[in-house]
């Protein structure tokens, strides 16, 4: 968006190895403050692994990563990160209220063995309002629909007041009204100057928010630039469901590299 | 009954039962949250080897049991941390190894099964004063850490990936829960016995989550049930032995009382869940076509007896498998 803004995420020659196999390789990625970047690519292209590496969940096999100009190894400003992991839901083995899940996102700002301050409680309430679930705060998270649970996870990431968000497939299996609610929440964030890195299969209502698209294929970046104009491609590729060999929900984005003459 | 409470051994037993009942469900809640309800059972089995080592070496079995149970807990946690698939199997291997090792070492120590049985099924009425202080001390540690670090332990048990990105040392907290579970096992060993330890950690949680909607309510309810069952079970067994000359081991009475609480709350919980599900709003999807309900004499209203469920900007009434929405003077099928 703004080419001169400070780099928030800087990955140089990044590679991630899982079980001896390089899953992400030779990835250079710089995300600047305020950008809304989507990582697209078919299943197994390494986009989830890449985002897990960017959050520090997966060690880099080679290359270097800095967040906010600090090398990952000495990065301690965890409150600046908001992470929405790829999960089926927000529930666990015991009943947990929506508010409790969201409040756990506030931990990055709280000291060990301290009670939540007024600011902590206000931040939790505000996060719930942004995702439109303030009225469900006391309900058990397990009684919410899948889409609502995703919104709870986003509120949890919001509660700590971060300025860099990593969202891993937040719209997977979410119905359209909930996707729209999600898009509203992300639009609010983006307007307030937050940097957002979103991994997704299908942009849906999120499409208008995107500043920049990065497409991964087989662990490498094959496209990095302005969002691709999907409206044209959509018309031709509506039959992609029949393409059973590839589970690619973004034929319009990846199709050019999928042709025989373009195979990497 | 009252004179029974005058005996010193009975007072000691009551304190032990109360303290164990308070502490065990706190750790149990984290185990259930992480879907590791059987971990306590595994640690109980491992602790059998610890007790046997105590019998063999002449060191107080409580101490050897604590040490061995903690080592077992660390081993289980490390195995779980390394490979996710083998965690369940590793737990099973430790179960059997611990129990068989314990029985064998007890034999080597020249002790009879009866000695071991005191630890397997509890011997709350023969608790010494030192044991009481030991029990209280460990229970205070368990409660202090389990409740004091609740925000951290809750977050880690809820979502490990998120906790890591929040900067929490997930491995250390997981290890702490496992070690606290091991300590709980040894605390509860004298009360309900190693084979029933896990029940005192898990059953109160299962009971309280029937009615609770939040984590905090689950923990509170579980502690109340645990302490109540601990004291209640002990009193029941004492009453039976005094009035009817029946020998009822207190450990079994405590666990059965906790299970009775679960059985009593389960139907209520099932009912609550059902009601909640039925009255969840219908998705805001407009019906395809305007379909008027055929001859409808009944008038739906707030007290008509039909379930009123929000649907977008209006209310549908669930009527005989249909959804009726008021529309002017008639009802629409939604």
């Amino acid at each position: 968006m703004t080419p001169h803004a400070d780099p928030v995420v800087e990955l140089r020659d990044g590679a991630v190895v899982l079980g001896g196999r390089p899953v992400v390789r030779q990835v250079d990625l710089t995300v600047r403050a305020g950008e809304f970047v989507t990582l697209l690519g078919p299943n197994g292209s390494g986009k989830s692994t890449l985002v897990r590496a960017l959050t520090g969940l997966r060690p880099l096999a080679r290359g270097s990563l800095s967040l906010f100009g600090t090398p990952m190894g000495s990065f301690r400003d965890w409150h600046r990160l908001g992470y929405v992991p790829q999960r089926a839901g927000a529930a666990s083995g015991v009943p947990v209220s929506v508010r409790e899940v969201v409040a756990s996102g506030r931990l990055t700002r709280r000291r060990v063995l301290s009670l939540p301050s007024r600011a902590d409680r206000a931040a939790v309430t505000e996060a719930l309002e942004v995702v439109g679930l303030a009225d469900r705060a006391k309900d058990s998270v397990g009684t919410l629909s899948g889409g609502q649970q995703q919104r709870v996870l986003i509120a949890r990431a919001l509660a700590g007041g971060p300025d860099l968000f990593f969202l891993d497939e937040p719209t997977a299996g979410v119905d359209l009204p909930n996707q729209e609610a999600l898009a509203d929440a992300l639009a609010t964030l983006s307007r307030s100057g937050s940097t957002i890195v979103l991994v997704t299969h299908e942009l849906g209502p999120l499409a208008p928010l995107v500043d920049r698209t990065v497409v991964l294929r087989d662990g490498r970046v094959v496209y990095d630039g302005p969002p691709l104009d999907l409206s044209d491609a959509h018309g031709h590729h509506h039959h992609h469901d029949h393409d059973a060999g590839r589970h690619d929900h973004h034929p319009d984005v990846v199709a050019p590299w999928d042709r025989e003459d373009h195979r990497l | 009954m009252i004179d029974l409470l005058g005996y010193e051994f009975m007072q000691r037993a009551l304190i032990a039962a109360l303290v164990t009942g308070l502490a065990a469900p706190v750790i149990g809640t984290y185990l259930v949250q992480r879907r590791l309800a059987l971990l306590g059972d595994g640690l109980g089995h491992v602790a059998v080897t610890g007790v046997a080592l105590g019998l063999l070496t002449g060191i107080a079995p409580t101490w050897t049991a604590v040490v061995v149970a903690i080592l077992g807990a660390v081993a289980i946690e490390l195995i779980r941390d390394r490979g996710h698939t083998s965690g369940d199997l590793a737990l099973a291997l430790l179960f059997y190894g611990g129990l068989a090792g314990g029985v064998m070492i007890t034999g080597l120590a020249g002790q009879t099964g009866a000695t071991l049985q005191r630890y397997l099924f509890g011997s709350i009425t023969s608790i010494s004063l030192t044991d009481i202080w030991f029990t209280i001390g460990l229970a205070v540690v368990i409660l202090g850490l389990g409740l004091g670090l609740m925000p951290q332990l809750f977050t880690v048990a809820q979502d490990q990936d998120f906790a890591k990105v929040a900067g929490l040392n997930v491995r250390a907290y997981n290890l702490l829960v496992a070690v606290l579970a091991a300590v709980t096992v040894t605390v509860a060993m004298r009360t309900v016995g190693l084979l029933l330890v896990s029940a005192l950690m898990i059953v109160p949680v299962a009971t309280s989550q029937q009615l609770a909607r939040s984590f905090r309510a689950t923990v509170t309810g579980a502690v109340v049930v645990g302490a109540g069952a601990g004291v209640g079970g002990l009193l029941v067994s004492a009453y039976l032995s005094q009035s009817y000359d029946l020998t009822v081991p207190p450990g079994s009475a405590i666990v059965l009382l906790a299970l009775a609480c679960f059985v009593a709350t389960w139907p209520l919980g099932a009912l609550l869940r059902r009601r909640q599900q039925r009255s969840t709003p219908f998705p805001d999807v407009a019906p395809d076509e305007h379909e008027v309900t055929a001859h409808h004499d009944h008038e739906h209203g707030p007290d008509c007896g039909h379930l009123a469920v929000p649907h977008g900007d209006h209310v549908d009434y669930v009527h005989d498998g249909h959804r009726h929405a008021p529309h002017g003077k008639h009802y629409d099928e939604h």
Side-chain angles (χ1 to χ4, degrees), chain B residues 17-25 199-201 203-205 207 219-233 254 257-258 261:
Chain B
L18 176 71
V19 166
T20 322
L22 284 174
L200 203 53
M201 294 165 83
V203 179
V205 182
T207 306
V219 175
T220 313
V223 167
V224 170
V225 172
V231 172
I254 289 170
L257 192 61
C261 291

Side-chain angles (χ1 to χ4, degrees), chain A residues 12 15 36 106 110 112 245:
Chain A
R12 290 278 153 270
F36 193 126
R106 195 66 195 166
R110 276 174 62 185
V112 175

Side-chain angles (χ1 to χ4, degrees), chain A residues 52 55 57 78 81 83 85 87 90-97 100-101 104-105 107-108 110-113 138-140 143 156-157, chain B residues 29 32-33 35 148-149 151-152 154-155 157-159 161-162 164-168 173 205 209 212-218 276 280:
Chain A
R52 285 172 71 81
T55 56
L57 282 171
W78 299 107
L81 289 193
Y83 176 48
R87 285 192 60 148
S92 63
V94 293
V96 173
S97 75
E100 283 173 325
V101 174
S104 70
L107 267 193
T108 49
R110 276 174 62 185
R111 278 198 223 174
V112 175
L113 293 179
K138 285 186 176 159
D139 289 345
S140 171
T143 63
R156 177 177 66 175
Chain B
T29 312
V32 176
Q33 193 188 6
R35 304 185 203 274
L149 294 176
Q152 284 77 20
F154 167 83
T155 306
Q158 184 73 17
D159 188 336
D161 283 349
F162 177 81
K164 254 182 219 166
V165 178
L168 294 175
Y173 282 113
V205 182
Q209 64 165 286
R213 285 193 299 173
S214 71
F215 185 79
R216 201 175 290 227
T218 308
Q276 205 157 25
T280 302

